[in-house]
Amino acid sequence: GNNKTIDNFVIEKDGPAALLCKMSKNSLAKDLTFGPGCSIKSTGVVKTIATENRVYAASLVCEMTEYSSVENVVNYGTVTGHNAGVAGKGNYVGGVISNITNNTKLEWTGSIKNCKNYGNVTFSETPAVWTCVGGIIGETSRGTISNCVNYGTIEFNGAHNGGNSINLAGICA
């Protein structure tokens, strides 16, 4: 990022929505700010295989895998996930990162450091499956998160969804 600011970056689409779709092995993103003019919205994607249907929305990256790291990334923009009842494998909405996953049997050893979110992060429709909405990260099962702060609003604007969980958190749902 070289201490640069990206502003007026707007994405509204079906499928993954972020600056980067995926960061994989040994990737590093750092020293980058997303300004208040940024707006990211994923309306989900419908594929022929139901388990592939999901919403990914974040300012920086939709999916991180093993050994990737993010440092000193700040988001002031809005991030929204919207999925009108499409059943699938889950929805991930985060101010900086949608989902951190491990596609191998090895333990993921990457890290998220010194990231901040000031923007509103929202899921705006009743989901057909579980949904994770977080100020920094939508969902993770691996890695280290340190010195991250959320100042933004994290919210769900949907109706009761028949028992599917809605996970909201300031840092990571």
Side-chain angles (χ1 to χ4, degrees):
N2 202 20
N3 294 311
K4 301 290 186 203
T5 297
I6 296 173
D7 208 357
N8 300 315
F9 175 60
V10 177
I11 298 176
E12 184 171 333
K13 62 179 256 188
D14 292 341
L19 178 65
L20 305 171
C21 185
K22 188 172 187 175
M23 287 176 60
S24 58
K25 251 184 187 175
N26 301 313
S27 298
L28 171 64
K30 68 178 192 172
D31 303 328
L32 182 63
T33 298
F34 290 88
C38 294
S39 175
I40 311 297
K41 182 176 182 181
S42 171
T43 54
V45 62
V46 178
K47 293 188 176 182
T48 56
I49 301 171
T51 58
E52 294 179 356
N53 300 335
R54 62 181 65 208
V55 169
Y56 285 110
S59 60
L60 179 65
V61 62
C62 289
E63 186 177 18
M64 284 179 59
T65 61
E66 66 274 7
Y67 307 108
S68 298
S69 296
V70 173
E71 300 175 10
N72 305 317
V73 174
V74 179
N75 176 53
Y76 289 94
T78 61
V79 179
T80 304
H82 175 88
N83 186 344
V86 176
K89 203 171 179 181
N91 303 302
Y92 310 108
V93 181
V96 178
I97 302 161
S98 295
N99 182 328
I100 300 173
T101 187
N102 184 7
N103 294 330
T104 70
K105 300 289 184 191
L106 302 173
E107 183 176 337
W108 184 70
T109 59
S111 64
I112 312 306
K113 296 179 185 176
N114 304 319
C115 292
K116 295 178 184 175
N117 177 58
Y118 294 89
N120 293 334
V121 182
T122 305
F123 194 85
S124 65
E125 183 63 44
T126 303
V129 294
W130 48 267
T131 297
C132 296
V133 183
I136 303 295
I137 305 164
E139 189 271 342
T140 187
S141 58
R142 303 278 193 267
T144 303
I145 303 167
S146 60
N147 299 319
C148 293
V149 182
N150 176 59
Y151 298 102
T153 300
I154 311 305
E155 61 187 334
F156 169 67
N157 291 328
H160 181 268
N161 64 342
N164 294 307
S165 68
I166 306 297
N167 304 300
L168 305 173
I171 302 296
C172 179

